[in-house]
Amino acid sequence: MKYVNAGNGKMPLITLIAILSISLTINMPGLAVSPMLGKLRDIFHSSEMEAQLVTSLPNLFMIPVVIIAGKISTPSRQTLVLATGLITFLVGGIGCFFAESMVALIVLGCLVGLGCGLVVPIAAGYISEWFMGRSRQQDLGLKSTTSNAMVIVANIYVGIVAAHYWHAAFVVYLTPLIPLALLPFMTQKYVNKHRILNTVEGETADEKGSSADKAPYHFQGKTSTWMLVSLICLYMFLTYATTSISYYAPFCMEHFGMSTTEVGVVTAMYYLMCAVCGAFVSPLKRFFGKNTLFISLALCALGLFGIGFTHNFWIYVFSSLVTGFGYGIIQPIIYNKTTYVAPNRKLGVEYFGYVLSANYVSIMMVPFVDSAARKIFHSTLPTFEFIFSGAVVCVLLIWAILKRKNYVFAINPDSAAPTPTEIADAKKGAAQA
């Protein structure tokens, strides 16, 4: 049997593959079939709003379910919750093959979202529970890579087959079959039987670097709550801002006479760079050092402004890559910090439920916030949403600089765990608040 480093010992490679396979599903509801919304609108002669409900309502359903799943997914229930979520997702996906109305697609899409919501916190929770130190950071990066890469593959596939037979596009909703097949390799029983834990005498140099993770360096009480709220706000508003590329690039680029193929390239570059950076987050964090978060936020703002203030396809491609680069680094870092913000490792899945729900809240809020902002500023610019989103990221950057000693924004290239000093400083800050 092949093993991988788990930070505190060895974990079967098949278990890591099984855990990562869960992430194949977490971005699928709605987003996977978005390239054919226009075709669905024409087929069923529905309104644009009805077509958008195919993508937006599943995400709305996921928000409370993700939080609930985080609470109920205790170690003894994780396998049951995961299996229930994957089967529910699969049933909804199979139903889409036989749907013959927009209402049916919307209802089945909500069922898919319900199943996916049960799965989302466990995808990160397993990594938080069974991996430590640098291995945990690396695997959380691979989690981001897996989910973003699947979006790219799904969008390309849907864009090709939808033109010929739209029902075939819902093959992407069969992805739960993969983690279901690998489910036996990620049960508590299998992991406890096959993993190899290190003794103190047998620690390697890399594993010693994760010693802070073994110590009780977790935020507690009111401090933990404040750290959680800060991570949620950072993740929610950053995701909201960068999602502008998916939401508004088609309309903006069409306004300037660019083709749908060019739109596909621009949006794909964003997800591609997110996927690449997720795989290399650890070396990138060591390269940028303590300024990693500031540089990443600045790149996100630069990319959004690049689209907002120009009308050139190649600049759009470059800007999309830059934005994806910045976001791709930050996303797994936020995941990793969540594991330490939780008072203990057992509450890690619940805290992931809160943080990951922010992702779906941000996706839902994009059109409403941007519409309100456009009215407030009385703007008619076709690129207004990108400029406004860039400004939002600038506010996040200023917040990060002002709170640079706060664990939420502080980066220690040598250890992901908070130091005792950071714990103490955060406790004082929470007490003053």
Side-chain angles (χ1 to χ4, degrees):
M1 180 181 293
K2 291 188 176 181
Y3 287 85
V4 294
N5 188 7
N8 62 342
K10 302 290 184 180
M11 184 70 71
L13 174 61
I14 187 64
T15 297
L16 176 59
I17 293 173
I19 294 170
L20 292 177
S21 73
I22 303 173
S23 294
L24 294 172
T25 67
I26 62 177
N27 283 339
M28 287 294 100
L31 191 59
V33 297
S34 59
M36 68 171 182
L37 291 184
K39 185 174 182 64
L40 291 177
R41 180 188 58 190
D42 296 336
I43 291 172
F44 296 114
H45 307 290
S46 61
S47 66
E48 183 174 328
M49 175 60 71
E50 287 177 314
Q52 289 177 336
L53 288 177
V54 175
T55 59
S56 60
L57 270 188
N59 286 284
L60 178 62
F61 268 69
M62 288 178 68
I63 295 169
V65 178
V66 168
I67 296 174
I68 294 171
K71 284 183 170 293
I72 65 175
S73 296
T74 59
S76 61
R77 298 176 181 168
Q78 281 176 343
T79 302
L80 176 61
V81 174
L82 177 59
T84 302
L86 292 172
I87 292 172
T88 303
F89 188 132
L90 186 61
V91 169
I94 293 174
C96 289
F97 284 96
F98 307 98
E100 294 297 341
S101 70
M102 189 65 80
V103 173
L105 285 176
I106 292 172
V107 172
L108 289 167
C110 291
L111 184 62
V112 168
L114 180 66
C116 188
L118 291 172
V119 168
V120 166
I122 298 177
Y126 274 158
I127 297 175
S128 173
E129 181 181 355
W130 292 330
F131 294 84
M132 288 186 177
R134 292 177 183 175
S135 296
R136 177 191 287 165
Q137 178 72 87
Q138 179 182 343
D139 294 334
L140 286 170
L142 290 175
K143 172 194 174 299
S144 297
T145 296
T146 303
S147 59
N148 287 306
M150 189 62 201
V151 172
I152 299 172
V153 173
N155 276 265
I156 293 174
Y157 169 77
V158 171
I160 293 173
V161 304
H164 306 287
Y165 180 58
W166 66 269
H167 275 110
F170 290 101
V171 165
V172 297
Y173 279 175
L174 301 183
T175 50
L177 287 170
I178 300 174
L180 275 173
L182 295 172
L183 191 62
F185 300 106
M186 47 182 155
T187 62
Q188 293 282 339
K189 181 178 180 180
Y190 181 87
V191 172
N192 289 330
K193 180 179 179 180
H194 292 89
R195 69 175 173 175
I196 302 172
L197 295 176
N198 285 321
T199 61
V200 175
E201 293 78 12
E203 279 190 329
T204 64
D206 181 67
E207 287 148 2
K208 288 179 181 178
S210 67
S211 60
D213 188 53
K214 301 174 188 177
Y217 295 155
H218 286 257
F219 296 94
Q220 305 294 324
K222 187 177 179 181
T223 307
S224 173
T225 302
W226 276 106
M227 293 289 104
L228 174 63
V229 171
S230 297
L231 281 173
I232 288 174
C233 289
L234 174 61
Y235 192 29
M236 181 171 66
F237 286 107
L238 181 62
T239 302
Y240 148 77
T242 56
T243 301
S244 296
I245 294 177
S246 295
Y247 262 86
Y248 299 109
F251 306 106
C252 167
M253 295 175 68
E254 182 182 16
H255 178 83
F256 294 117
M258 301 181 201
S259 68
T260 54
T261 300
E262 290 173 320
V263 172
V265 170
V266 169
T267 54
M269 290 303 100
Y270 168 74
Y271 289 107
L272 175 63
M273 192 53 69
C274 286
V276 171
C277 289
F280 297 99
V281 64
S282 293
L284 286 170
K285 194 170 70 168
R286 289 195 293 271
F287 179 77
F288 290 120
K290 295 181 179 180
N291 295 317
T292 298
L293 200 66
F294 310 136
I295 293 172
S296 299
L297 286 170
L299 288 172
C300 288
L302 178 65
L304 291 167
F305 282 139
I307 298 176
F309 289 109
T310 60
H311 312 143
N312 180 275
F313 168 69
W314 292 109
I315 295 179
Y316 282 8
V317 170
F318 178 75
S319 297
S320 184
L321 286 168
V322 168
T323 304
F325 184 86
Y327 185 80
I329 295 174
I330 294 176
Q331 188 179 49
I333 288 177
I334 290 176
Y335 293 163
N336 197 43
K337 286 181 180 292
T338 301
T339 64
Y340 296 103
V341 166
N344 54 63
R345 292 176 64 195
K346 290 182 179 180
L347 288 174
V349 177
E350 180 177 342
Y351 270 54
F352 270 117
Y354 293 124
V355 171
L356 293 172
S357 66
N359 177 70
Y360 304 103
V361 172
S362 64
I363 293 173
M364 287 296 301
M365 66 189 274
V366 170
F368 302 104
V369 173
D370 287 340
S371 177
R374 184 179 280 273
K375 290 180 180 178
I376 292 172
F377 291 100
H378 305 287
S379 176
T380 58
L381 288 173
T383 57
F384 169 79
E385 288 80 9
F386 295 100
I387 298 172
F388 182 74
S389 295
V392 169
V393 178
C394 286
V395 173
L396 292 177
L397 177 57
I398 294 171
W399 180 32
I401 292 173
L402 292 176
K403 297 289 186 179
R404 58 188 175 276
K405 293 184 179 180
N406 187 297
Y407 176 68
V408 172
F409 304 104
I411 298 295
N412 182 354
D414 298 321
S415 175
T419 64
T421 301
E422 287 173 329
I423 295 283
D425 289 343
K427 187 175 182 180
K428 291 179 183 178
Q432 294 173 355

